[in-house]
């Protein structure tokens, strides 16, 4: 499914700087991340990020843009969509690229992280997003979140 129009996203470098360790910046440019280490929450792997293989680490919207669009974000103003798309405190997470691609625009009933130790945290983060943005929880996703909370 194509991404809904009208979203403006924060630069990935901002999120990478915040969420990776051993960050190396481009010489003379304090804002461009060229390398770093990510302890990937979705897979449990340690990823040694290099700009040459940028797709290895992607920035995930914990509740995907198309998912929240279907839950009611389609009625939001442009400012509300921008706030959601750029919310580094609640919505954005640096993760393993292939895991993020596998997730796509799925909710918890269709996709959960392979790293079972992260299931509780993922469910907590996903729920926090829906609460903060006053979005409903579909029944199938509520059941999947409840199962994940049982691992806490």
């Amino acid at each position: 499914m194509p991404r809904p129009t009208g979203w403006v996203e924060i630069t990935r470098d901002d999120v990478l700087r915040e969420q990776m360790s051993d960050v190396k910046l481009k010489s003379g440019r304090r804002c461009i991340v060229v390398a770093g280490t990510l302890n990937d929450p979705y897979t449990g792997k340690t990823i040694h990020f290099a700009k040459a293989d940028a797709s290895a680490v992607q920035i995930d919207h914990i509740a995907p843009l198309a998912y929240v669009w279907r839950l009611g974000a389609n009625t939001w103003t442009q400012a509300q969509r921008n706030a959601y798309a750029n919310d580094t405190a609640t919505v954005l997470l640096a993760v393993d690229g292939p895991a993020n691609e596998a997730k796509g625009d799925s909710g918890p009933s269709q996709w959960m992280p392979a790293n079972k130790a992260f299931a509780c945290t993922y469910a907590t983060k996903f729920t926090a997003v829906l609460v903060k943005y006053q979005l409903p929880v579909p029944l199938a996703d509520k059941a999947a979140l409840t199962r994940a909370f049982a691992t806490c």
Side-chain angles (χ1 to χ4, degrees):
M1 175 177 189
R3 174 176 288 177
T5 60
W7 301 85
V8 176
E9 295 182 56
I10 196 164
T11 64
R12 70 184 260 114
D13 291 302
D14 295 334
V15 177
L16 294 175
R17 267 194 323 277
E18 290 175 11
Q19 298 182 9
M20 289 195 318
S21 60
D22 304 320
V23 172
K24 305 287 186 263
L25 301 175
K26 185 173 182 176
S27 179
R29 302 285 306 267
R30 294 187 350 223
C31 58
I32 299 175
V33 176
V34 296
T37 302
L38 176 69
N39 292 319
D40 177 50
Y42 285 178
T43 64
K45 297 186 303 188
T46 298
I47 300 171
H48 299 287
F49 171 79
K51 190 85 166 167
D53 186 18
S55 65
V57 174
Q58 295 180 6
I59 308 305
D60 183 37
H61 291 83
I62 292 171
L65 297 177
Y67 176 88
V68 299
W69 186 265
R70 292 188 302 267
L71 293 181
N74 61 317
T75 66
W76 292 352
T77 65
Q78 184 65 48
Q80 289 170 308
R81 288 193 297 270
N82 291 348
Y84 182 85
N86 293 296
D87 184 348
T88 58
T90 312
V91 177
L92 299 176
L93 190 62
V95 299
D96 174 73
N100 188 44
E101 290 172 13
K103 176 184 174 189
D105 67 353
S106 300
S109 65
Q110 298 171 318
W111 185 91
M112 288 294 283
N115 179 10
K116 300 303 180 198
F118 189 68
C120 175
T121 302
Y122 180 78
T124 301
K125 288 179 175 289
F126 198 96
T127 302
V129 169
L130 297 183
V131 169
K132 180 174 182 177
Y133 290 93
Q134 300 177 358
L135 295 165
V137 182
L139 289 177
D141 290 336
K142 182 178 180 180
L145 291 167
T146 299
R147 286 189 298 277
F149 286 131
T151 68
C152 294

